[in-house]
Amino acid sequence: MTERPSGRPRTAASRVTVPWVRTRLRTAPGAAAALALLVAVTAFLAAALPPALDRYDEEGMRRALEAAGPTRTSVQIQVSDADMYLSDGPWEDLLSQEAVAGPFAKLLALPGRALPLDEDQSSAGVRTTRAMKAPDAYLSQPDGVAPVFHLVAQGGVAEHSRLTQGRLPKAPEDPGPGAGSLEADSLEAAVTTETAKKLNIRVGSVVHFPRAEGDPLAVRVTGLVAPREPDGAYWSALPELGRPHRMVTQGPVPSQYWAGALLLAPDAGPALLATPGAPARYWTLAPDLSALHGRDLEALTSAVASLEGGPLLERITTTVSPNLDVSTDLDDVLGGYKGLWSAIGPLVAVAAFGTGTVAAVVLCMAGGLAAARRRAELTLLRARGASLRGLAGRLLAETVVVAVPAAALGLLAARLAVGTGRPAQSAVAAGAVALVAALALPLRAVAAHRAVGVHTGREDVVRARPSKRRLVAEVTLLAVAAGAVLTLRTRGTSADGDPTGDELVSLAPVLVAVIAALVLVRLYPLPLRGLARPARRMRGVVGPLSLARAGRAGGSTVLPLLALLTALTTAAFGGSVLTGVTDARERAAVFAVGADARVFDLTEAAKGVEERVRRAPGVDDVTPVKVSYSALAGNQRVSLAGVEPDAYAALSSRLDDGAFDADTLKADGEDTVPALGSPALAERFGDDPFPVILEDGDSFTARVVAVRTWTPALGADDFLVVDGSALRAGLEPPTGLLVIGDPPDAAALRKAAGDDAQVQLRSDVVAATVESPLQTGAERVYAAAVAAGAAYAALALLLTLLRAAPERAALLARLRTMGLTRAQGRRLLILESLPQAVLAAVGGALTAWAAIRLLAPGIDLTTVAVSTGAPAAGRALLRADQLSLLVPALAVVALTVGVAAAQAWWSGRRGAVRELRAGDAR
Amino acid sequence: MTSDPTLADLTERVAARRDRPAYGHDALITCDRLVRVFTADGVEVQALQGLDLLVREGELMALVGASGSGKSTLMNILAGLDTPTAGAARVAGRDLLTMSARDRLAYRREVVGFVWQQTSRNLLPYLTSAQNVALPMQLSGRPGGRSRSARRARAERALELLEMLEVADCRDRRPDEMSGGQQQRVAIAVALAGDPAVLLADEPTGELDSHTGEQIFAAFRTANERLGTTVVIVTHDQAVANEVSRTVAIRDGRTSTEVLRRSEVDAATGDEKVVAREYAMLDRAGRLQLPAEYTTALGMRDRVALELEPDHIAVRPDDSGREDR
Ligand SMILES: Nc1ncnc2c1ncn2[C@@H]1O[C@H](COP(=O)(O)OP(=O)(O)O)[C@@H](O)[C@H]1O
Ligand SMILES: [Mg+2]
């Protein structure tokens, strides 16, 4: 029945068949570019996180290992006495250079990739296991005690040092079999320049070691060597090898003496049998710090464990000797680092999850916006016979062409800019961004065009019908989120509970935001509609109109609100964490110093120090204290401080733990002196008076009137604080000064205090608490996440307003024709957008507050704030920071109002013709 | 009116009813007591209130009616874009009420084509005319749709259609580069691309001046005559209504009257002239809608008197009240 006219010129079929993607891209290059930009930036951020974390992780671990030093991080292997006693062969053979070097090569290869070793810094040799006294008078003897030495025949001294004087030692001539090197009574050795300087050794000096029988062993120093890397493992894994140590004798009167090492020729091992020092072979395996990565922590830990008592140890014993000790503190160092990491990890995850959610929402909103803008076109396509799958496929092709290259670009940029760690995670993150970006539009379109629409302008009215399916979905989501939050709450706050729940903890702000968004979106039109009725009686048009419109717009979607709430929550949470960390650091510093600065160890001679310190720049006030560290309370040794009650009470109140009422401490000439005591003392003496005797013989009776866990002058030891006037000599002269200032000038303070006294500044302590790159890294990641989250939230806001922009422009144009002035139009738009903005702001602040309250017990900022080793000031808990709550919330309101005003201005300029064109069904 | 039927009469009648062909069995489009109720903001609007309509294959007909009488609603239902609330609707043997989503898609691809009033909404703004025409063929993704020969076939068909509708010179122009009339003719080509059995047009000339409107109408006639497509046009344009052989008027969601035009050769003069005759619709329940002019002219209200005559029924104003007085 079809009649085909013929005889027309043939046209290229390609010009008729639609190359969909190309056509679309050419039609809307702006939209494609915007999407590409959004995806590229998001992918960049997502892909940058893993390498950034990896870098902090790696740096943090390296710093932790470096801080621990080679003494703790290297693995020491040493054969025990039994090795020789149980052996049949001659002992000389057991100490020969071959007996050392042979196993060394095998040991270096043993741990393999699990524990990469630094061959250059690893060392092996024979050394005396007992230090030997050298009573030669010319050696430095600080307190008249003779220094002790180890004799060490370590391989590779020549390569690891520079000969500065003399020559390197030689091993004694082999006296031939049977002669017995026990007879050898002279050996040659080198010493490091530092040992030589400290112990007063020169080339040619002879160090004598008395032996149980026969002449003392004489060791002649033939040369001085300067270590090339004195801090490397080669020179510092064994204490004293590179530089001598000052030791202290035990006993009633401690006296100092030196401990050093004499470096023998590498093949002089057997000669050590002639010493009383019980020689033994040893191997020091130094880990290659540059090859250790935070991400390998698990493997590393297990490798170390295996070394200390597992399969690796077994292989070492079979390689070397069954009688040996393997020891290292590497596991402790790694464990400490792991603790830090697991404390910081969840915090970073909170930021990542929060910002990730906001970014995902924004991507979805961008898809939704595109779907809304192209609604008519898609409806037409559907009506003309596009299948749902065909439609989704076309849209997917469109977005994929844009999103995938953009994400790849973002990924590439991230890898170039941030680093190359964790490539798989980076790629997955960028891929996820591309996936969300690519799927958002097709999925939204499929949902909207599932049923083929009627091609009229009326669909809005129909669509406004609340869908039951949506309600069910929302209630389900609400239930899931509420359940998760409840679990989190009831699971308790085991600070170091099972790590499986960490995702839940990290997701909590998002979950709370989800709940709040779902509930608020449903609730907030109610009061508005309630307001709209009385508002109708108001004078003027703008007020009632905007209220009515805001109330009608109640069908606004959950997504933008969710984005805003999540972003606000994350920002507030992050802000609170950062403030909490700063507070904790300040607190720890106050705890350690007691004031802004502290001058202590003042001697009696240092008269006038107080006056000088008072005049130093930056000093506001000085509180003198008189401290005695070995007072006796009853028969217990305590630290006692005499203070001026008023000034000291003011100082103490800077920390809750220390605050007390000055009047309670004032001694008014009665027999018992009121005292501030530590809990242990209070428990011991209760309310009873007890005698106090000071070093200088002063004595009085005291009674604990108040108990504090901490006091500025003495910290948190066992302490007593009394009114200085109760002391015989009063506060003159003080032994310490607590300085308040803003901040006190460090150099001036040191100068004023003189040489003998010590000065400690709070700011120095604060600076010292930031130790690990992991901590600074966590803070940086957090700051970046908060900034990105805020940017995305702003974008979400803009997208929402953009979506409603045409409709608003049309309304404004229509109202203009009815005589609405420009100012009224502006006011209308602003007033209309305000309720939503205020809702988001208030909701965001509330959500953030709730999330912080919810999470605070489980989050211990102490680890982040104060690294291990710094003085503890109790657990630093998370508290809602008002500034962090309010500033982002107000920013949302400001941004909304700004955008509304901008739109009013813009549409005022553009004129109304376009909006009023006939046939535009709006 | 009649005496009580006997049992034998009744059984006979039932048997007769069963053997009678179904309503509209020979029609391409059958609407039987079609009802469509919209619910918006809790208010129910009855757009169609039991509409009956039969359209035979190959017909070119017009639908007229006041604004809001339900014309667009009917067109959307026939286009497979909307589902009726109750009643029956069949087009080319397909039941519009029971179709699954997949059937509906196939129906839109193969059975109907349509043209809307807003010229800009019939075409994708970023495609050329030829591409717009080829798109439905591409969308329906027939087997081998990606092959070179299929593409060539599509291109050829698109150009044929454009040529037939006299817009071949616009084939590489996008909608914003064409006049409204050209756009609408391309839209007809698009609607015809899937080789549909029915072409529906909802006020296709509404945005155009009367001269262009005539051209558009000519295009529909071309499609009807050359492709044999059944065409249903909703129109306000009396000129258009006068051009077709059958015009159905819709009032309050129901078909009310129908005008048939026949050309007759006058026996005396030999001239050919068009005779138009207005009919009222008689629905299957026997209800009849009388034109408002008629009833007001005679002051008929509430009740009329009927009388069965051998070849007609007489309808008179209710005179019972006058007798009482
Ligand atoms: N989507 C809809 N929602 C609510 N009411 C509608 C909708 N579509 C049509 N109506 C109502 O149905 C009636 C018929 O409308 P329509 O079919 O568009 O009339 P016409 O095209 O004859 O002017 C009107 O009263 C209209 O208000
Ligand atoms: Mg209509």
Side-chain angles (χ1 to χ4, degrees):
Chain A
M1 66 177 184
T2 314
E3 181 193 327
R4 290 181 190 276
S6 55
R8 91 220 67 69
R10 297 195 163 236
T11 333
S14 55
R15 258 202 288 164
V16 174
T17 299
V18 187
W20 186 259
V21 173
R22 222 184 314 149
T23 311
R24 276 300 315 174
L25 288 184
R26 214 177 307 133
T27 309
L35 179 67
L37 186 67
L38 179 64
V39 172
V41 170
T42 310
F44 174 83
L45 292 175
L49 182 66
L53 286 184
D54 190 66
R55 218 173 70 189
Y56 297 134
D57 193 4
E58 199 162 309
E59 279 173 17
M61 178 141 132
R62 194 167 311 149
R63 185 73 62 84
L65 291 171
E66 276 167 13
T71 331
R72 299 190 67 204
T73 57
S74 57
V75 180
Q76 312 264 1
I77 304 166
Q78 184 172 323
V79 296
S80 61
D81 293 348
D83 184 50
M84 270 196 260
Y85 292 126
L86 296 178
S87 148
D88 309 331
W91 289 5
E92 285 84 352
D93 290 355
L94 286 177
L95 297 181
S96 71
Q97 201 174 7
E98 298 78 58
V100 171
F104 188 37
K106 289 185 204 150
L107 285 175
L108 282 176
L110 250 189
R113 295 246 306 277
L115 175 60
L117 295 176
D118 185 346
E119 288 196 22
D120 180 55
Q121 291 295 321
S122 297
S123 52
V126 178
R127 67 160 182 234
T128 55
T129 55
R130 247 176 269 142
M132 297 174 296
K133 257 194 180 147
D136 299 278
Y138 69 91
L139 294 171
S140 164
Q141 298 181 356
D143 286 347
V145 178
V148 296
F149 286 96
H150 276 287
L151 299 189
V152 184
Q154 179 161 304
V157 171
E159 292 83 51
H160 288 88
S161 64
R162 206 162 33 80
L163 188 68
T164 55
Q165 245 182 347
R167 62 170 175 83
L168 287 177
K170 284 202 196 71
E173 296 285 313
D174 191 353
S181 45
L182 272 172
E183 316 312 323
D185 45 15
S186 105
L187 292 172
E188 288 183 0
V191 291
T192 61
T193 42
E194 202 171 339
T195 311
K197 192 171 140 224
K198 294 259 168 68
L199 278 126
N200 199 21
I201 296 176
R202 264 176 298 247
V203 174
S205 305
V206 181
V207 184
H208 293 92
F209 298 103
R211 289 188 277 198
E213 49 199 65
D215 299 332
L217 175 73
V219 180
R220 168 181 304 276
V221 175
T222 61
L224 303 188
V225 293
R228 288 188 198 280
E229 277 179 76
D231 295 320
Y234 183 89
W235 283 108
S236 56
L238 289 180
E240 300 132 31
L241 191 69
R243 50 175 75 101
H245 282 221
R246 234 183 237 263
M247 312 288 273
V248 180
T249 58
Q250 286 172 351
V253 192
S255 10
Q256 296 189 338
Y257 64 97
W258 285 106
L262 299 177
L263 306 166
L264 272 58
D267 53 352
L272 289 180
L273 285 172
T275 70
R281 286 177 291 163
Y282 70 91
W283 297 266
T284 304
L285 307 180
D288 182 3
L289 296 194
S290 61
L292 294 186
H293 302 293
R295 56 175 174 272
D296 303 333
L297 193 59
E298 291 299 323
L300 202 55
T301 313
S302 69
V304 174
S306 160
L307 257 182
E308 285 190 297
L312 273 179
L313 177 63
E314 226 159 81
R315 285 172 52 198
I316 291 177
T317 51
T318 49
T319 315
V320 182
S321 152
N323 308 300
L324 50 74
D325 296 322
V326 175
S327 68
T328 179
D329 284 340
L330 189 54
D331 44 356
D332 294 340
V333 175
L334 293 178
Y337 176 72
K338 195 171 167 185
L340 184 60
W341 178 242
S342 57
I344 287 175
L347 286 181
V348 173
V350 167
F353 275 118
T355 307
T357 308
V358 184
V361 167
V362 167
L363 286 177
C364 288
M365 281 178 66
L369 182 67
R373 287 251 152 145
R374 292 171 62 181
R375 190 182 162 75
E377 173 203 330
L378 299 180
T379 312
L380 180 61
L381 276 178
R382 255 319 245 155
R384 291 268 188 240
S387 65
L388 212 49
R389 219 191 299 159
L391 188 75
R394 281 189 164 74
L395 294 178
L396 187 65
E398 264 177 53
T399 50
V400 160
V401 184
V402 175
V404 168
L409 215 64
L411 175 65
L412 187 72
R415 317 274 322 154
L416 289 181
V418 182
T420 51
R422 305 191 200 184
Q425 289 183 22
S426 254
V428 166
V433 170
L435 192 73
V436 173
L439 284 182
L441 173 61
L443 289 186
R444 277 298 275 259
V446 162
H449 297 273
R450 184 168 206 85
V452 182
V454 177
H455 202 71
T456 65
R458 286 209 196 94
E459 47 264 290
D460 292 356
V461 189
V462 187
R463 262 197 334 145
R465 257 188 324 196
S467 126
K468 283 218 181 73
R469 221 177 319 151
R470 184 179 149 189
L471 187 67
V472 170
E474 284 189 8
V475 168
T476 313
L477 191 60
L478 195 71
V480 169
V485 169
L486 215 66
T487 323
L488 191 68
R489 194 66 198 166
T490 48
R491 206 190 49 177
T493 52
S494 51
D496 39 17
D498 60 320
T500 48
D502 281 348
E503 282 76 25
L504 199 57
V505 177
S506 314
L507 262 177
V510 175
L511 291 176
V512 174
V514 166
I515 296 175
L518 289 178
V519 171
L520 283 179
V521 145
R522 293 267 169 188
L523 286 189
Y524 110 108
L526 301 182
L528 278 182
R529 289 194 187 144
L531 272 180
R533 187 158 309 157
R536 254 176 250 157
R537 284 193 291 273
M538 271 165 32
R539 268 191 305 133
V541 253
V542 174
L545 190 58
S546 49
L547 249 180
R549 277 181 53 81
R552 295 272 309 181
S556 72
T557 45
V558 181
L559 273 188
L561 192 62
L562 176 64
L564 279 180
L565 292 192
T566 312
L568 287 178
T569 307
T570 314
F573 191 85
S576 298
V577 165
L578 294 182
T579 352
V581 165
T582 317
D583 285 352
R585 286 195 181 135
E586 293 289 328
R587 214 178 121 81
V590 170
F591 206 82
V593 178
D596 291 328
R598 191 156 74 112
V599 180
F600 56 105
D601 283 358
L602 286 176
T603 52
E604 300 239 359
K607 288 249 164 37
V609 168
E610 188 181 338
E611 271 316 301
R612 285 206 298 277
V613 167
R614 267 187 205 286
R615 282 198 304 270
V619 172
D620 292 338
D621 197 11
V622 174
T623 311
V625 292
K626 189 165 193 172
V627 174
S628 153
Y629 288 103
S630 45
L632 284 175
N635 51 6
Q636 188 182 343
R637 188 99 152 242
V638 298
S639 306
L640 183 136
V643 301
E644 200 285 297
D646 286 320
Y648 192 73
L651 192 66
S652 300
S653 62
R654 293 182 77 187
L655 276 190
D656 291 345
D657 297 357
F660 68 96
D661 181 8
D663 291 337
T664 57
L665 200 63
K666 283 189 178 137
D668 36 15
E670 284 176 30
D671 290 349
T672 47
V673 178
L676 207 64
S678 60
L681 280 184
E683 194 175 320
R684 170 128 188 256
F685 297 113
D687 280 343
D688 302 332
F690 53 91
V692 176
I693 304 169
L694 299 183
E695 290 142 281
D696 58 2
D698 185 9
S699 71
F700 52 87
T701 312
R703 196 163 59 82
V704 175
V705 292
V707 184
R708 291 292 175 269
T709 51
W710 171 85
T711 197
L714 298 168
D717 299 334
D718 270 356
F719 63 79
L720 275 180
V721 176
V722 296
D723 189 346
S725 64
L727 304 179
R728 189 168 54 194
L731 284 176
E732 275 308 316
T735 61
L737 301 173
L738 295 172
V739 180
I740 303 288
D742 192 24
D745 184 83
L749 218 55
R750 293 218 161 83
K751 193 156 160 267
D755 287 341
D756 292 332
Q758 305 214 37
V759 175
Q760 190 181 28
L761 266 88
R762 192 169 58 86
S763 49
D764 292 348
V765 177
V766 171
T769 48
V770 194
E771 197 177 69
S772 171
L774 204 54
Q775 290 161 311
T776 42
E779 283 175 26
R780 225 171 291 157
V781 165
Y782 219 116
V786 167
Y792 279 116
L795 200 59
L797 205 60
L798 285 181
L799 284 179
T800 327
L801 295 172
L802 207 63
R803 183 173 182 160
E807 189 261 357
R808 287 215 243 163
L811 172 87
L812 218 55
R814 220 168 293 147
L815 289 177
R816 283 259 171 71
T817 60
M818 300 177 196
L820 197 78
T821 66
R822 229 172 242 200
Q824 276 175 321
R826 193 161 50 236
R827 244 183 312 142
L828 176 67
L829 289 199
I830 292 175
L831 277 180
E832 181 198 348
S833 62
L834 258 187
Q836 295 230 36
V838 170
L839 169 81
V842 173
L846 279 180
T847 313
W849 178 79
I852 291 169
R853 281 297 302 263
L854 182 73
L855 284 177
I859 286 186
D860 185 1
L861 294 180
T862 324
T863 329
V864 189
V866 188
S867 66
T868 42
R875 264 164 61 102
L877 289 183
L878 186 62
R879 240 169 302 219
D881 175 47
Q882 283 162 358
L883 212 63
S884 316
L885 282 182
L886 289 183
V887 170
L890 291 179
V892 165
V893 177
L895 188 64
T896 316
V897 170
V899 169
Q903 193 190 2
W905 173 79
W906 178 246
S907 59
R909 265 172 51 107
R910 247 192 352 174
V913 186
R914 236 173 66 99
E915 276 73 26
L916 293 180
R917 226 184 42 195
D920 210 351
R922 248 185 238 119
Chain B
M1 228 177 258
T2 47
S3 58
D4 289 350
T6 62
L7 183 65
D9 282 344
L10 286 175
T11 34
E12 198 174 295
R13 248 186 257 170
V14 169
R17 189 168 297 168
R18 199 166 44 217
D19 297 341
R20 208 168 59 191
Y23 172 73
H25 67 103
D26 55 345
L28 185 67
I29 300 176
T30 315
C31 297
D32 184 9
R33 282 172 276 183
L34 206 54
V35 176
R36 176 68 170 99
V37 181
F38 290 107
T39 328
D41 281 342
V43 181
E44 284 199 351
V45 179
Q46 285 212 9
L48 298 181
Q49 325 186 12
L51 177 137
D52 292 319
L53 180 70
L54 294 179
V55 181
R56 271 175 295 105
E57 186 166 348
E59 227 181 303
L60 171 66
M61 66 160 302
L63 277 178
V64 295
S67 178
S69 54
K71 307 180 298 288
S72 297
T73 309
L74 174 63
M75 294 303 266
N76 285 327
I77 288 174
L78 293 181
L81 300 176
D82 195 5
T83 27
T85 314
R90 298 178 69 80
V91 176
R94 311 203 187 201
D95 188 341
L96 294 186
L97 269 93
T98 56
M99 272 197 300
S100 68
R102 170 179 294 219
D103 296 339
R104 217 165 255 287
L105 184 63
Y107 174 77
R108 283 197 308 275
R109 284 177 176 176
E110 294 155 17
V111 181
V112 287
F114 35 78
V115 178
W116 281 286
Q117 170 181 7
Q118 280 153 14
T119 46
S120 58
R121 291 212 162 167
N122 284 311
L123 305 172
L124 287 182
Y126 45 85
L127 298 185
T128 63
S129 304
Q131 288 176 330
N132 260 305
V133 178
L135 189 66
M137 299 186 256
Q138 229 176 316
L139 287 176
S140 55
R142 304 222 169 91
R146 291 185 163 273
S147 73
R148 202 165 246 281
S149 61
R151 256 197 264 163
R152 173 146 328 125
R154 276 205 299 265
E156 263 175 39
R157 173 147 176 80
L159 295 182
E160 270 168 25
L161 286 170
L162 289 176
E163 229 160 77
M164 184 181 88
L165 297 167
E166 293 163 13
V167 277
D169 50 330
C170 298
R171 66 169 179 245
D172 289 329
R173 287 196 225 160
R174 277 195 284 274
D176 53 2
E177 299 161 340
M178 293 188 278
S179 72
Q182 284 169 329
Q183 284 183 36
Q184 214 59 337
R185 270 180 286 170
V186 173
I188 297 173
V190 173
L192 289 171
D195 200 4
V198 185
L199 178 57
L200 305 170
D202 191 352
E203 306 195 25
T205 57
E207 282 190 350
L208 306 173
D209 59 274
S210 58
H211 174 66
T212 323
E214 265 165 42
Q215 287 179 349
I216 298 304
F217 184 74
F220 280 113
R221 192 179 285 286
T222 314
N224 175 250
E225 283 170 359
R226 291 177 60 181
L227 303 179
T229 315
T230 309
V231 181
V232 180
I233 305 175
V234 168
T235 186
H236 272 319
D237 195 341
Q238 200 49 49
V240 171
N242 289 342
E243 291 269 336
V244 293
S245 56
R246 182 174 173 219
T247 307
V248 173
I250 295 187
R251 212 166 90 196
D252 295 338
R254 242 174 261 160
T255 35
S256 60
T257 58
E258 195 174 316
V259 176
L260 294 184
R261 282 183 189 76
R262 259 190 310 274
S263 40
E264 286 176 357
V265 182
D266 192 77
T269 60
D271 288 348
E272 200 185 49
K273 63 167 185 178
V274 177
V275 184
R277 187 163 182 150
E278 185 156 1
Y279 298 84
M281 305 289 285
L282 181 66
D283 78 5
R284 288 203 284 148
R287 276 191 295 261
L288 182 72
Q289 237 184 15
L290 296 176
E293 314 88 87
Y294 291 17
T295 50
T296 44
L298 295 177
M300 289 176 170
R301 270 183 61 205
D302 305 334
R303 247 183 350 195
V304 291
L306 294 181
E307 241 168 84
L308 180 64
E309 300 289 330
D311 62 342
H312 69 277
I313 300 171
V315 181
R316 292 180 213 288
D318 179 11
D319 50 1
S320 57
R322 235 174 288 155
E323 265 175 26
D324 285 348
R325 218 179 288 160

